[in-house]
Amino acid sequence: MLRGTGLLVAAHLRRDRLTLVLWTVLFAGLWASVGAGLGSSFDAQARSELVALIAADPSLRMLRGAPAGTSLGAVMVVSTLAYLGVAIALMATFLAVRHTRGDEDAGRAELVRSTPTGRLAPLVATAITGAIEVAIVSAGLLAGSLAIGLPAEGSALVALGVLLAGVAFVLVGLLAAQVMPSSRGANGLAAAIAGAAFVVRGVGDALADAGDDLAHVASAWPSWLSPIGWITQTHPFADPSDSAGWAPSWTPLALFAPLLLALGAVVVALESRRELGDSLVRERGGRATAHALLGTSLGLAVRLHRGAAIGWIAAAVVVGLFIGRVAPVAADAFEANPTLLALVQALGGTADDTIDTFVHALTGIVALVACAAVLQGATRMRTEELAHGEQVLATRTSRLGWFGATLAVALVAGVLVMTAFAAAASVSLASSDAARTGTVVAIAASMLPALGLYLAVGALLVAVLPGVGAWLGWLLLVVPMLVGELAPLFGDDWDWLQDVSPFHHLANPLATDPDWTASWWMLGGAAVALGVALAAFRRRDAAV
């Protein structure tokens, strides 16, 4: 049943050689750069102040994690590790889907099955490939940690935690590939699970009791429900000599053992019974007579994108409902803790500002989801071009009409994600006696220029670089966001890196006098780029 596994592993590794180098450089480079920046620009006092700021702000704990000390390694962990956890999850799931359901959609899996290859060989080869690539990335993290002088035990904990999380999400990707009928659906499901793991970890950290020392925050129980939370709960660089007495712990990583065994058993059981191309979620059969709207480019685009759009919108609604439950709790925590309240007031804030800041932080996460929905919808055009381009263009449909309809539906999907979030958050906050509908709507609206920008990015990739548009688009979404978030940790000389992230240029409606100049420039640039993309798509050959 495993015949040919070795050859398939070699083929997968050769196919992934470029993306593997990029992921390894990204992980190791960001981790080492953050360490070097913190080490050179933040002394012990500055690190303590940074940790106190994170401990005092639930929105920062939601995004970055709960502090476990003020040493260099501890500050690196609370600043970076949660982001690395969700990044390795996305890398692993996309890898798994690409080599399984993606190959089935493209017909490559059928060619492999026509050779003397074992039934489970493609599945096992993908799992082994994923483990190898995740191990290489983890080794890069370990090397980066040791290179900047971090303790060996903590460095090993970080590397092993990322390795185990990556392997777990490889299995999640393999499961999603068997559940969903297409690679697009499988990637969407797997990405949603990875995002949920990040959010659940964030909920646990946001609900934590910050205490009085503002250097050690014990996460609430939801963090223990997330594999990303298990990594952060190891407290790899905690110092036992601190007053809190925290020490690095290998115990949380033991939770990966039952998870890996359960996921592996389910994946193998399903693959043993599943026919090639089959899935647990089956595509519905079409009606005998198509609706008249399907005879238009716009109707076809709506039909193709509606499933993914519904999934993105549902995720936004869940986050919006969550705000109304957590934000008031965070404000109450400030009022009940004199130390936290004094720190926030020293920074010029109040307990009410905590709710607004929390809403703004989570709206940023939803905006990233909306940009992903827009980018996915735009780059879907390339898939449709390869699969059905000849049939569509053989009709009276124009190239510009087809491409334009796809882009329009993708943009509407992103706007609906933000609208659904704003509506859910407003209702949820109102039910918690913390109504601020106008603020929520203003914050959500301030994120819309980023959607236009990434619509233009997706359109340009399809029109100009169709061969690499799928993975390059996601890279252009994730990497600038990470660099922008982590840039302040590199030191004052590297503040310019924040400008790499489009989200850094968006107007902040919570400011006394919001500056909308960059947002208008972003919209104008997106409009020009869309025009260039439409012209380039009209001139180039189809399915090149």
Side-chain angles (χ1 to χ4, degrees):
M1 298 183 72
L2 299 178
R3 183 177 181 181
T5 300
L7 290 175
L8 289 175
V9 169
H12 291 340
L13 290 174
R14 184 181 185 281
R15 180 178 168 191
D16 292 345
R17 62 189 184 278
L18 177 58
T19 55
L20 177 58
V21 171
L22 290 175
W23 279 111
T24 304
V25 171
L26 173 63
F27 274 79
L30 280 178
W31 179 252
S33 298
V34 168
L38 283 171
S40 62
S41 303
F42 288 74
D43 57 17
Q45 179 62 29
R47 293 199 301 268
S48 297
E49 293 174 354
L50 176 61
V51 168
L53 179 62
I54 295 174
D57 191 340
S59 64
L60 288 177
R61 297 202 305 267
M62 171 84 183
L63 295 175
R64 297 185 180 274
T70 60
S71 67
L72 174 60
V75 178
M76 288 177 63
V77 166
V78 76
S79 303
T80 313
L81 190 54
Y83 290 130
L84 294 183
V86 73
I88 197 70
L90 293 174
M91 168 195 160
T93 53
F94 290 162
L95 179 152
V97 171
R98 181 169 63 251
H99 291 304
T100 51
R101 178 60 67 180
D103 282 353
E104 291 184 27
D105 290 349
R108 287 187 291 268
E110 188 174 6
L111 291 175
V112 171
R113 290 287 182 90
S114 67
T115 66
T117 302
R119 179 181 180 85
L120 295 179
L123 178 77
V124 174
T126 300
I128 294 174
T129 301
I132 292 174
E133 295 190 16
V134 169
I136 292 173
V137 172
S138 300
L141 284 176
L142 179 60
S145 297
L146 297 177
I148 59 177
L150 294 179
E153 181 183 12
S155 301
L157 266 175
V158 169
L160 181 59
V162 170
L163 171 61
L164 292 174
V167 173
F169 278 100
V170 167
L171 296 177
V172 168
L174 292 175
L175 180 60
Q178 299 187 63
V179 170
M180 303 304 292
S182 68
S183 59
R184 185 164 174 257
N187 278 326
L189 175 60
I193 294 173
F198 180 83
V199 171
V200 169
R201 189 277 318 156
V203 170
D205 291 340
L207 293 177
D209 182 5
D212 293 328
D213 73 344
L214 299 182
H216 302 83
V217 178
S219 301
W221 61 267
S223 290
W224 290 92
L225 302 178
S226 166
I228 298 175
W230 300 343
I231 304 175
T232 59
Q233 291 305 313
T234 59
H235 304 144
F237 299 106
D239 187 353
S241 63
D242 286 347
S243 58
W246 288 19
S249 174
W250 296 82
T251 304
L253 299 184
L255 296 172
F256 280 103
L259 177 64
L260 294 176
L261 289 175
L263 286 174
V266 171
V267 166
V268 170
L270 289 176
E271 182 67 13
S272 299
R273 294 166 174 79
R274 186 178 67 91
E275 294 294 332
L276 182 66
D278 202 0
S279 61
L280 293 183
V281 176
R282 299 177 182 272
E283 291 183 320
R284 295 185 305 167
R287 297 187 305 176
T289 303
H291 192 280
L293 190 61
L294 283 178
T296 66
S297 299
L298 184 62
L300 177 62
V302 171
R303 175 65 180 84
L304 291 174
H305 292 276
R306 69 181 183 185
I310 291 173
W312 292 116
I313 292 171
V317 169
V318 170
V319 176
L321 295 175
F322 158 78
I323 281 182
R325 294 292 174 261
V326 175
V329 174
D332 292 341
F334 275 97
E335 294 177 348
N337 191 319
T339 305
L340 289 179
L341 188 57
L343 176 61
V344 172
Q345 290 174 342
L347 296 173
T350 66
D352 289 337
D353 293 337
T354 303
I355 298 180
D356 293 340
T357 303
F358 196 79
V359 170
H360 192 271
L362 282 186
T363 305
I365 295 178
V366 176
L368 187 67
V369 171
C371 289
V374 169
L375 186 62
Q376 183 188 55
T379 54
R380 171 71 184 271
M381 183 65 192
R382 176 59 178 173
T383 303
E384 292 302 312
E385 183 185 9
L386 292 173
H388 310 114
E390 292 184 1
Q391 295 93 319
V392 172
L393 294 177
T395 67
R396 291 179 297 176
T397 303
S398 69
R399 293 168 64 89
L400 286 182
W402 185 28
F403 195 22
T406 300
L407 296 177
V409 171
L411 180 60
V412 170
V415 173
L416 288 177
V417 168
M418 297 305 300
T419 303
F421 164 77
S426 298
V427 171
S428 183
L429 286 168
S431 66
S432 301
D433 297 325
R436 48 199 1 97
T437 301
T439 301
V440 173
V441 172
I443 294 173
S446 71
M447 304 290 176
L448 295 181
L451 274 62
L453 176 65
Y454 277 103
L455 179 72
V457 169
L460 282 174
L461 291 174
V462 170
V464 180
L465 298 172
V468 298
W471 64 266
L472 185 57
W474 291 105
L475 203 64
L476 291 175
L477 176 64
V478 174
V479 174
M481 184 275 297
L482 283 177
V483 172
E485 282 290 319
L486 299 176
L489 304 177
F490 299 155
D492 293 338
D493 293 339
W494 296 92
D495 281 347
W496 59 270
L497 281 176
Q498 295 182 74
D499 296 334
V500 172
S501 173
F503 298 96
H504 179 69
H505 299 281
L506 297 175
N508 182 5
L510 299 180
T512 304
D513 185 19
D515 183 2
W516 296 90
T517 304
S519 296
W520 286 116
W521 276 105
M522 197 178 297
L523 287 173
V528 172
L530 282 172
V532 172
L534 289 170
F537 184 79
R538 185 174 182 270
R539 294 177 63 86
R540 76 164 172 81
D541 292 334
V544 295

